[in-house]
Amino acid sequence: MARLPQIDFMPSPAPSTRVLRHRSPLGEWELAVGRPGSGLEECVTGYEDYLETAAPSAIRRREVPWPGVVLIINFGPAFRLTDPREAFGPADYRSFVAGLSDSYTIVESTGLSRCVQVNFTPLGAYRFFRLPMDSIANRAVELDDILAGAESSFVGQLEEAGDPDARFALLDRFFAARIAAARAPSPGVVWAWQQLGRSEGPPPIGAI
């Protein structure tokens, strides 16, 4: 009988962080998952610190749609992204933002992958990136094209931080300062998003 891949859960010094490790013939990876600090919960749903090594060949993943905006802060080789409808790609991206989407995206990586992922709510992404969400819908955009170089020193600090907990603490401080200085979304948009989030399924458009 073939052996199942080994997956180990390990406690983290920070009670809100958990670590998942995987080892199999397909390669090895380690994922640290954390929650944002107090006050950021409505803007950020989670942090992920990711390291993948010893992959024998290119890895292709199908990333399915979900109700959020993803920020990838990359410390390793670029990822190749392809939209199946040819809305974009195939193209290589380092650190990038993936907007709300109504279809899946193919993500390819080779060799070492080292990155931090931030999962924003649409309202949080609007405040952090200071962009209307339709401008990045069904798109991937390089981070420096959105922040115009303002992120370079911050990305360097994240890369030099000693462990996931230190990186998550840096993210908390950076996001809290930038979001606090941003324009709040329209109350009507906030209300509509809350109704969608509370529903078990899509509510009638007339109710929104």
Side-chain angles (χ1 to χ4, degrees):
M1 180 181 296
R3 295 184 61 187
L4 294 175
Q6 178 178 336
I7 299 179
D8 303 313
F9 283 96
M10 300 184 63
S12 167
S16 61
T17 302
R18 70 182 190 275
V19 177
L20 176 65
R21 287 177 173 162
H22 165 90
R23 187 183 308 111
S24 78
L26 298 178
E28 300 179 16
W29 51 256
E30 179 177 295
L31 176 68
V33 181
R35 304 289 295 176
S38 177
L40 287 173
E41 300 92 336
E42 292 186 0
C43 295
V44 179
T45 60
Y47 300 139
E48 299 175 9
D49 188 279
Y50 185 69
L51 172 65
E52 182 176 70
T53 59
S57 60
I59 294 177
R60 304 177 80 240
R61 295 180 175 87
R62 179 179 295 192
E63 301 289 351
V64 299
W66 71 288
V69 175
V70 172
L71 165 62
I72 299 294
I73 302 172
N74 188 9
F75 311 128
F79 293 97
R80 173 154 292 189
L81 275 61
T82 305
D83 185 290
R85 300 161 302 180
E86 298 184 356
F88 62 83
D92 293 340
Y93 295 81
R94 286 291 309 262
S95 297
F96 64 92
V97 180
L100 290 163
S101 177
D102 56 13
S103 181
Y104 68 89
T105 301
I106 300 297
V107 180
E108 298 178 80
S109 61
T110 57
L112 174 70
S113 292
R114 185 77 182 88
C115 63
V116 171
Q117 176 171 321
V118 181
N119 299 322
F120 284 99
T121 66
L123 298 179
Y126 168 79
R127 297 185 69 177
F128 179 76
F129 297 112
R130 302 173 185 179
L131 290 171
M133 289 296 93
D134 62 345
S135 68
I136 58 173
N138 292 311
R139 294 180 60 200
V141 183
E142 289 280 2
L143 181 59
D144 58 4
D145 289 342
I146 294 180
L147 298 186
E151 87 296 344
S152 58
S153 61
F154 171 67
V155 171
Q157 292 178 49
L158 279 176
E159 186 171 11
E160 293 170 3
D163 55 51
D165 292 321
R167 280 185 279 274
F168 296 163
L170 279 171
L171 290 171
D172 275 351
R173 293 195 293 272
F174 184 63
F175 293 159
R178 185 172 172 87
I179 288 171
R183 178 181 177 181
S186 164
V189 173
V190 174
W191 179 87
W193 176 250
Q194 290 172 344
Q195 301 311 302
L196 289 169
R198 290 169 184 159
S199 67
E200 294 294 328
I205 192 64
I208 301 297

